[in-house]
Amino acid sequence: MTSQTSHAAQRPAQDRPLRVLAAMSGGVDSAVAAARAAEAGHDVTGVHLALSANPQSFRTGARGCCTIEDSRDARRAADVIGIPFYVWDLADRFREDVVEDFVAEYEAGRTPNPCLRCNEKIKFAALLDKALALGFDAVCTGHYAQVIVNENGDRELHRAADMAKDQSYVLGVLDDRQLAHAMFPLGDTETTKDEIRAEAERRGLAVAKKPDSHDICFIADGDTQGFLASRLGKAEGDIVDESGTKLGTHEGAYGYTIGQRKGLRIGTPAPDGKPRYVLDISPVNNTVTVGPVAALDVSALTAIKPRWCGAAPTGPGTYTAQLRAHGGETEVTAELVDDELRVSFDAPVRGVAPGQAIVLYAGTRVVGSATIATTDRATAVA
């Protein structure tokens, strides 16, 4: 397994006019991306994805990306750019591949990333398949990342030129075929978000001042625990310490995440008076285990369902890894063994949860990603 990549004679992933389907969320980034693609001479068609049978239940304004309001904003942007525009109904696929997966993962005691799953299953699977069937060459989005083509024609996914806006982590699930048809017009320029908004304003796009979307679009009020309770029902269980001593109760283990400190509702203080954190979630016996912060340190992990942005690596290698969408990098040694990714950290990392994605990098190049299955503690805590 090698961590080296050649950057010699790299060129943009698209060097001829293409038929491009621009996914337009109704936000400023996707609107500017579509405008740049059209300005570059590509034959661009805009499409907004209707991802809910009841769009009013999705977040609106600053928090949404899939509502009726967002659809109208996307249509207005397409009109200004001067490109055809359609709304495609992918609500059933989104419910099955993203929402139901999200609920099932929490029910199993894991912590999923629905945005990553949406990129894999919706934008670069369902949407791309439909686009190719209709004769389009590429799908364009407003993600901040780069697709670079090497001398031999291989495509590589790289971090955005501006690391502060890089979104390559949530794109680490893309495979060779998907990368071959991906276009990210915002990823190769070091422009600030204010400059993107200024560009949108110069182009006459009304979304120039629209706040960014964030959080989970399909949870209308932002109450993840309440959303899960409505789907899974309340299920009282025990909160215990590492020795198994009962400290309190909960109304559903799915409402907790590894590393959580607040909202534990434990009446008995720790012997040392220090805060306790969630260390483990067991759906089998509906138990949440808490303990000291030092017990969150992880020295190694095993990840499953690897997806490679290129050929699968062979042999052990050194990389940097990212464990959260807005997290930093950490140095690791990784090896693929029987389709499982075995990862050792050069220094312990804290609060790693099963269900999260680990994305490996060689410099700025995305090597691939996998879903964390198990972790090894750095030290035993009495």
Side-chain angles (χ1 to χ4, degrees):
M1 187 182 279
T2 177
S3 63
Q4 303 300 313
T5 182
S6 172
H7 291 271
Q10 290 178 345
R11 54 188 173 84
Q14 289 82 26
D15 55 5
R16 63 178 178 83
L18 304 174
R19 287 196 68 206
V20 175
L21 188 69
M24 302 182 69
S25 67
V28 63
D29 290 331
S30 61
V32 171
R36 286 187 179 184
E39 189 174 64
H42 299 299
D43 179 9
V44 180
T45 296
V47 63
H48 180 81
L49 304 182
L51 300 180
S52 174
N54 179 21
Q56 290 88 346
S57 68
F58 277 41
R59 292 189 168 209
T60 59
R63 297 182 178 271
C65 62
C66 318
T67 67
I68 292 176
E69 172 191 340
D70 296 310
S71 173
R72 290 168 180 164
D73 288 342
R75 182 178 295 278
R76 283 191 287 266
D79 288 343
V80 171
I81 297 167
I83 59 176
F85 178 83
Y86 300 92
V87 175
W88 286 359
D89 183 359
L90 292 179
D92 288 343
R93 283 292 300 269
F94 184 78
R95 184 187 66 252
E96 178 181 346
D97 292 336
V98 180
V99 180
E100 291 182 2
D101 174 81
F102 177 85
V103 174
E105 286 294 284
Y106 266 102
E107 186 177 22
R110 297 185 287 266
T111 305
N113 184 315
C115 295
L116 189 146
R117 195 64 58 228
C118 184
N119 285 328
E120 175 190 357
K121 298 290 188 179
I122 304 300
K123 293 175 183 173
F124 291 96
L127 177 61
L128 178 58
D129 288 346
K130 189 170 182 178
L132 294 177
L134 292 172
F136 288 94
D137 300 303
V139 166
C140 162
T141 73
H143 287 100
Y144 289 87
Q146 300 183 77
V147 176
I148 294 175
V149 182
N150 281 327
E151 291 177 331
N152 62 5
D154 289 343
R155 282 173 167 78
E156 297 179 349
L157 178 62
H158 283 252
R159 289 192 182 276
D162 183 353
M163 280 289 294
K165 297 197 297 293
D166 175 63
Q167 293 176 303
S168 60
Y169 173 86
V170 295
L171 297 170
V173 291
L174 303 188
D175 59 24
D176 269 355
R177 173 179 172 273
Q178 293 166 334
L179 282 179
H181 301 284
M183 181 185 290
F184 307 119
L186 304 188
D188 61 354
T189 54
E190 293 189 7
T191 51
T192 67
K193 191 56 177 276
D194 286 342
E195 289 170 331
I196 290 292
R197 293 189 182 282
E199 178 179 340
E201 194 160 11
R202 289 195 304 271
R203 294 180 181 275
L205 300 171
V207 292
K209 292 183 171 63
K210 186 174 181 179
D212 290 338
S213 62
H214 60 89
D215 299 322
I216 301 172
C217 68
F218 55 85
I219 300 181
D221 57 2
D223 180 7
T224 300
Q225 188 166 355
F227 173 83
L228 292 169
S230 70
R231 296 299 187 96
L232 299 173
K234 292 184 178 181
E236 186 173 301
D238 293 338
I239 299 176
V240 302
D241 63 17
E242 291 182 290
S243 69
T245 301
K246 181 177 176 179
L247 303 175
T249 61
H250 61 76
E251 295 181 339
Y254 52 75
Y256 297 81
T257 57
I258 302 296
Q260 178 178 336
R261 186 186 69 155
K262 296 182 179 180
L264 299 184
R265 297 186 302 174
I266 300 173
T268 306
D272 59 6
K274 295 181 179 179
R276 293 186 177 96
Y277 297 78
V278 174
L279 305 180
D280 184 61
I281 302 163
S282 175
V284 175
N285 56 12
N286 197 27
T287 297
V288 175
T289 302
V290 299
V293 67
L296 290 172
D297 288 344
V298 168
S299 60
L301 62 80
T302 298
I304 58 175
K305 300 178 183 178
R307 291 177 63 88
W308 306 109
C309 300
T314 58
T318 56
Y319 302 89
T320 57
Q322 187 170 331
L323 300 166
R324 298 175 186 83
H326 304 292
E329 292 180 289
T330 184
E331 295 184 352
V332 301
T333 300
E335 182 176 11
L336 189 63
V337 179
D338 296 329
D339 209 33
E340 289 185 344
L341 189 65
R342 311 285 175 82
V343 179
S344 299
F345 297 98
D346 288 11
V349 295
R350 183 161 288 173
V352 183
Q356 290 176 334
I358 178 171
V359 177
L360 297 182
Y361 293 83
T364 63
R365 178 174 67 88
V366 180
V367 177
S369 69
T371 301
I372 298 169
T374 60
T375 60
D376 298 333
R377 286 185 181 176
T379 57
V381 179

